Amino acid sequence: MTTATGAAGAGRVVRPYGDTTGDGMVQMSFTLPVPYGGAHSKVAEGAAQQLAHKMGMDPAMVVHAKAMGPDFTFFVVYGRVHHLVELDKVQVVERDYPLLSPKEANLAIRKLLRRRMVVVGACIGTDAHTVGIDAILNIKGFAGEKGLEYYREVRVVNMGAQVSVPQLVARTQQEKADAVLISQVVTQRDAHLLNTREMSAAFREAYPAADRPVLVVGGPRFDEGMTAELGVDRIFARGTTPADVASYLVHALALRRHRHAGAPGPARSAMEEVALR
Amino acid sequence: MSKTGHMKLMLDQAAVRRARALSARVGEPIVRLAQEHTTVSVERATLRLGGITGADPEGTPWVNRLLDVVRADVGLEHGVSLPVWHALLRGEAEDLTTLAQKAAAGSVRFQVPEGREATRARTAARKQVGAGLRRIAARRRERERLVKRWGDPEQKPWIYLIVATGDIYEDMPQAQAAAREGADIIAVIRSTGQSLLDYVPEGPTREGFAGTYATQENFRLMRAALDETSREVGRYIRLTNYASGLCMPEIATLAGLERLDMMLNDSMYGILFRDINPVRTFVDQRFSRQVHARAGIVINTGEDNYLTTADAMDAAHTVTVSQLLNEHFAKEAGLADWQLGLGHAFEIDPDVPDSFRLELAHAMLARQLFPDAPLKWMPPTRHMTGDVFRGYLLNAFFNLAGAMTDQGILLVGMMTEAVVTPWLSDRDLALQNVRYVLNAAGGLHEDFRPPPDGFIAQRANQVLSESLELLEQILDHERGLLDAIADGTFGLMRRPADGGRGLEGVAERSPTYFNPASELLEAP
């Protein structure tokens, strides 16, 4: 993974745009635990104004305030901020591997492994939301892209929801899987982070470092930069498509092959071939 | 929730009749299967009706401890009632809970009585389990009295809101606030993963993941809190929970005992989406529905789930087929039309041309196929992108479709679906949305008559005919529905009859099988 800075916007500085360049206009809404109505209204609106000021909005206009029950007030605030966004200091995780079509991925896998790539997928812990893992794995796919089951050179073992870590490790060993995909949607009490750490620790224990399958975790609330902290090879956030995942897996396996072989081997040439096209 | 009366959509009536006939044929062997088997949860529910309560110091319910010992001694196939009441008559303990404690300590041996001893055990079991069922009937009469006193919601659809903090003591004030803001029905979402527990946790609980455990004490606390608020707001606020997963029969029983009003209870959801063994599910489902029928509980089925995992256009007919099967199984178990909250959802991709007309077609099809069922109308989730403004608009169209097609129960959609668990403001904005639409167009279903040869009628008839094809396809399988479920006819999930969770808790009934609850529940 590379952390790229916004080269395209080198040196550029921008401000939020309302209807004029540089006007700095933003909108926000929030709730305060204060009553509204009658004598309370002025105090409540003043409280909202104060918050907006402290957040850097100046001027701040409380355009809407409404009581929500006896103890709360909801506000909509419009206002100007004076902060500058420096585009060359924006840090993002960029894709550091070529995006392959299913056909290209199949070809690369065949050259790389001389067999089908085995991928085990699951929602671990108590998470029952298979939407994410199914979008990536099921042939039906996501956003018009077919899932990994559609890839001829990929064998998918979708274990579904609420799989325990020991079950997952056992199945991965049994299937001799090359990669493990984990989906975590539930984030209450940081369950997604705890589960992921438990999972990566179990794989570290069960496999020698060189043979460990590629560990990939995905879900809408992950920070893509936390791979080292969570002990996984890659984190995918919202909006990831099956092709992103397939391409990454090809890339990761090629790198491993290459590292093991030491010298340029078939893996590398497969990747180069793909990259050159 | 009354009958819609006149026909509004020209449905092919021959096709409607055929759909029901085919569903009955699909359902028949499944009902037989349910009658020929029992499960650990059916037996535990029976013991709960007999009055067993509490849990051991580790939190394992006494009913589980007792069942495990009985099963180890004599097997599950005869039912637990004969050996258990035989032991009570022998004087092993004065009540079921004490018997469980002694059995767990290893000081009771169970056997299946014969002859006169069996007759005496049967009589005692019938009496005690019958008392449990009478308690459920009394709670039902109590509900009817309270509804009369406090009244039903003024508008239709009834407004259904969810609370889910994980902590029952947080849930209660949230539910009360939601009721004051306009909710007619409160659903307490269960902790993720409870469906796969083969026991019902005990006591009040404050720790849950993305929801609160369904326990008898949590049921009691929440019902009491809502009674208080019902009195205050002058309408009876209904309480919903989930009779699904491995403990369906027990949870249904506890719901009946604690006067819950609606229960999520689908015939195939657990199989398809939780990988619970199909036989286990069908056996548990039938018993739980028989209990719901007695308790006057409205079931909510889970057809919306088909559309969250498959395309709402491609899978429209799977919703209809599932509704037909749910209806068949429900009626067979004794539920009346007014108790059938058959589910469906507003999940068509909003980028599809005419998506709203298509939604109306699907909703009207359900409305007209099941004219006397309340119908549960579920909001968009799949196409809620995080753009809360667009989501708010989509929810308004969802509400409008609900008003135009006379839905019974409307689950309020949140604009922050897929973003955060609903904030206080999200709920308030969502209720404003519902109120605006119902106030502006609540009676529109009286004027809305799509032309008989128009787009909407054509689409409805098309979905109906695809449903017939699917029902026929199910019947083409050697073992009908079981094989169809096994080969992935429903969605992409393949669920063989000998796979899935909870299979070890299923037994074929022996000729000496006896279950007083089943016996009493089968009686008309």
Side-chain angles (χ1 to χ4, degrees):
Chain A
M1 171 187 36
T2 56
T3 315
T5 49
R12 256 188 84 201
V13 166
V14 294
R15 280 203 172 109
Y17 186 106
D19 66 352
T20 313
T21 301
D23 63 12
M25 293 302 287
V26 299
Q27 113 222 99
M28 65 173 172
S29 60
F30 55 88
T31 301
L32 290 176
V34 295
Y36 191 76
H40 297 299
S41 302
K42 284 236 144 100
V43 176
E45 285 178 22
Q49 189 107 31
Q50 188 192 94
L51 176 66
H53 276 304
K54 287 186 173 172
M55 291 173 75
M57 282 170 84
D58 183 26
M61 295 172 283
V62 179
V63 298
H64 174 70
K66 179 184 173 289
M68 288 185 309
D71 307 317
F72 294 90
T73 308
F74 176 68
F75 301 95
V76 177
V77 179
Y78 278 70
R80 181 193 302 272
V81 295
H82 300 272
H83 311 76
L84 302 176
V85 178
E86 296 159 87
L87 291 178
D88 57 353
K89 292 193 180 153
V90 174
Q91 296 213 331
V92 291
V93 175
E94 282 194 352
R95 190 158 45 74
D96 48 3
Y97 50 87
L99 191 63
L100 310 178
S101 71
K103 206 170 153 190
E104 291 164 338
N106 283 331
L107 183 72
I109 294 167
R110 207 157 49 229
K111 293 212 168 170
L112 200 59
L113 301 175
R114 299 204 176 82
R115 59 170 171 83
R116 294 170 81 193
M117 172 163 73
V118 181
V119 176
V120 171
C123 293
I124 55 171
T126 56
D127 200 336
H129 298 76
T130 58
V131 189
I133 196 83
D134 289 341
I136 300 299
L137 295 182
N138 282 353
I139 192 158
K140 173 93 192 158
F142 169 63
E145 264 183 36
K146 295 263 199 282
L148 297 191
E149 282 180 345
Y150 172 78
Y151 289 65
R152 206 174 47 247
E153 299 297 329
V154 179
R155 186 161 71 80
V156 171
V157 180
N158 187 350
M159 295 180 70
Q162 303 185 335
V163 175
S164 74
V165 168
Q167 278 175 325
L168 175 71
V169 173
R171 188 70 183 268
T172 305
Q173 288 173 325
Q174 183 193 330
E175 303 284 353
K176 297 191 172 58
D178 301 290
V180 176
L181 306 187
I182 297 303
S183 171
Q184 291 280 274
V185 173
V186 172
T187 56
Q188 211 178 23
R189 294 166 214 256
D190 282 339
H192 61 311
L193 304 179
L194 299 173
N195 287 338
T196 304
R197 284 198 194 99
E198 184 196 342
M199 183 272 301
S200 62
F203 275 98
R204 271 199 304 280
E205 208 159 284
Y207 282 90
D211 300 339
R212 182 174 62 77
V214 178
L215 299 180
V216 175
V217 59
R221 294 284 164 275
F222 279 108
D223 174 350
E224 291 182 313
M226 284 179 73
T227 48
E229 212 171 307
L230 296 179
V232 297
D233 297 297
R234 187 83 184 190
I235 296 171
F236 285 107
R238 63 184 309 120
T240 301
T241 66
D244 290 330
V245 178
S247 306
Y248 169 72
L249 292 179
V250 168
H251 167 76
L253 290 174
L255 274 186
R256 285 190 174 201
R257 254 320 143 82
H258 178 47
R259 221 178 284 143
H260 290 186
R268 181 159 176 198
S269 56
M271 272 313 292
E272 277 170 355
E273 209 179 281
V274 169
L276 285 170
R277 294 189 45 195
Chain B
M1 288 186 246
S2 67
K3 194 171 168 130
T4 46
H6 35 262
M7 281 305 183
K8 289 176 183 165
L9 195 60
M10 294 299 278
L11 280 187
D12 174 355
Q13 289 306 308
V16 172
R17 281 191 298 277
R18 185 154 168 71
R20 287 229 157 66
L22 289 172
S23 309
R25 274 177 61 204
V26 170
E28 192 193 355
I30 299 294
V31 172
R32 211 160 46 235
L33 182 84
Q35 288 165 332
E36 288 166 353
H37 290 80
T38 188
T39 73
V40 285
S41 187
V42 164
E43 298 301 322
R44 292 194 301 250
T46 307
L47 293 172
R48 285 183 184 274
L49 283 167
I52 192 168
T53 54
D56 72 10
E58 267 87 69
T60 306
W62 287 120
V63 70
N64 286 60
R65 299 295 305 266
L66 178 57
L67 178 121
D68 291 347
V69 177
V70 176
R71 189 176 189 184
D73 284 354
V74 299
L76 188 63
E77 62 273 21
H78 315 294
V80 296
S81 299
L82 279 174
V84 162
W85 268 275
H86 179 55
L88 285 176
L89 289 173
R90 280 202 319 264
E92 299 280 1
E94 53 276 22
D95 59 51
L96 284 173
T97 309
T98 317
L99 183 70
Q101 289 161 353
K102 289 189 171 171
S107 59
V108 185
R109 295 282 298 172
F110 291 94
Q111 59 206 65
V112 181
E114 287 172 7
R116 189 174 302 169
E117 287 194 320
T119 311
R120 286 181 59 216
R122 272 196 283 269
T123 308
R126 273 188 205 113
K127 190 167 162 227
Q128 208 169 323
V129 171
L133 286 172
R134 279 195 300 282
R135 271 206 302 284
I136 287 179
R139 297 311 303 262
R140 175 188 183 146
R141 287 194 299 276
E142 183 185 29
R143 177 194 304 113
E144 287 161 0
R145 266 202 315 279
L146 294 175
V147 169
K148 202 171 281 173
R149 185 182 309 161
W150 292 327
D152 271 327
E154 279 175 13
Q155 87 297 333
K156 225 177 87 178
W158 293 357
I159 295 170
Y160 180 114
L161 267 178
I162 290 170
V163 298
T165 69
D167 179 344
I168 188 66
Y169 294 103
E170 289 281 339
D171 287 346
M172 286 193 283
Q174 281 214 11
Q176 291 179 311
R180 286 184 200 112
E181 287 162 24
D184 303 310
I185 305 163
I186 299 291
V188 181
I189 291 244
R190 289 197 305 184
S191 177
T192 306
Q194 182 168 2
S195 56
L196 299 182
L197 297 181
D198 213 339
Y199 66 93
V200 182
E202 276 282 322
T205 64
R206 313 197 65 158
E207 290 277 312
F209 285 99
T212 308
Y213 285 103
T215 75
Q216 184 167 9
E217 181 60 9
N218 288 348
F219 287 181
R220 191 190 67 75
L221 287 166
M222 185 58 95
R223 187 57 265 173
L226 291 181
D227 280 348
E228 191 186 299
T229 310
S230 300
R231 196 176 301 123
E232 176 192 320
V233 299
R235 66 181 194 285
Y236 184 80
I237 308 296
R238 285 171 171 79
L239 174 59
T240 301
N241 211 287
Y242 296 70
S244 60
L246 289 172
C247 290
M248 244 191 264
E250 291 172 271
I251 291 179
T253 302
L254 298 176
L257 289 169
E258 299 301 337
R259 191 175 24 93
L260 266 60
D261 307 285
M262 292 190 181
M263 294 300 275
L264 280 275
N265 187 241
D266 191 84
S267 61
M268 292 192 292
Y269 172 79
I271 303 169
L272 298 176
F273 298 96
R274 289 285 186 268
D275 196 15
I276 294 174
N277 173 261
V279 182
R280 170 82 180 249
T281 299
F282 286 126
V283 178
D284 284 351
Q285 179 237 172
R286 183 162 183 270
F287 185 96
S288 64
R289 287 186 175 190
Q290 289 177 322
V291 173
H292 289 143
R294 285 296 170 105
I297 285 174
V298 174
I299 62 165
N300 290 191
T301 58
E303 282 80 3
D304 50 298
N305 292 286
Y306 292 90
L307 305 185
T308 56
T309 50
D311 181 81
M313 287 295 291
D314 300 345
H317 64 294
T318 64
V319 168
T320 306
V321 166
S322 173
Q323 288 167 336
L324 286 161
L325 294 177
N326 263 314
E327 177 196 49
H328 177 80
F329 291 133
K331 291 206 163 166
E332 192 280 327
L335 289 156
D337 281 311
W338 65 269
Q339 289 174 293
L340 307 185
L342 299 171
H344 57 148
F346 188 93
E347 290 281 19
I348 298 173
D349 183 346
D351 290 337
V352 168
D354 292 316
S355 68
F356 186 68
R357 296 167 86 191
L358 291 162
E359 293 285 9
L360 288 176
H362 295 176
M364 288 196 83
L365 171 62
R367 178 68 286 166
Q368 223 154 298
L369 269 182
F370 310 100
D372 300 316
L375 296 188
K376 171 131 174 246
W377 186 222
M378 302 285 286
T381 58
R382 224 171 127 82
H383 300 286
M384 296 297 277
T385 57
D387 177 349
V388 294
F389 303 103
R390 185 173 189 263
Y392 199 69
L393 176 63
L394 206 56
N395 279 332
F397 272 67
F398 158 76
N399 293 334
L400 181 60
M404 287 174 78
T405 60
D406 196 25
Q407 303 294 313
I409 303 164
L410 181 136
L411 194 147
V412 178
M414 298 290 151
M415 65 182 188
T416 47
E417 175 76 39
V419 181
V420 290
T421 48
W423 289 359
L424 187 70
S425 53
D426 298 335
R427 195 174 287 152
D428 190 83
L429 287 164
L431 282 169
Q432 286 185 55
N433 189 330
V434 172
R435 269 196 291 268
Y436 165 69
V437 172
L438 292 187
N439 189 34
L444 195 53
H445 61 92
E446 292 169 16
D447 308 304
F448 179 53
R449 302 267 188 291
D453 54 349
F455 180 88
I456 288 177
Q458 278 181 23
R459 173 64 189 167
N461 277 306
Q462 184 194 343
V463 174
L464 181 58
S465 92
E466 285 170 12
S467 308
L468 293 181
E469 281 167 33
L470 177 54
L471 285 165
E472 271 157 8
Q473 207 183 318
I474 294 168
L475 286 168
D476 284 343
H477 289 75
E478 194 188 326
R479 287 187 309 162
L481 187 58
L482 281 183
D483 283 349
I485 290 169
D487 73 10
T489 302
F490 291 92
L492 293 162
M493 282 91 33
R494 293 185 178 83
R495 306 297 192 204
D498 59 355
R501 297 168 159 112
L503 175 61
E504 67 288 348
V506 181
E508 196 170 341
R509 296 182 183 184
S510 76
T512 54
Y513 179 80
F514 169 69
N515 183 320
S518 298
E519 204 180 82
L520 292 164
L521 289 167
E522 296 284 351

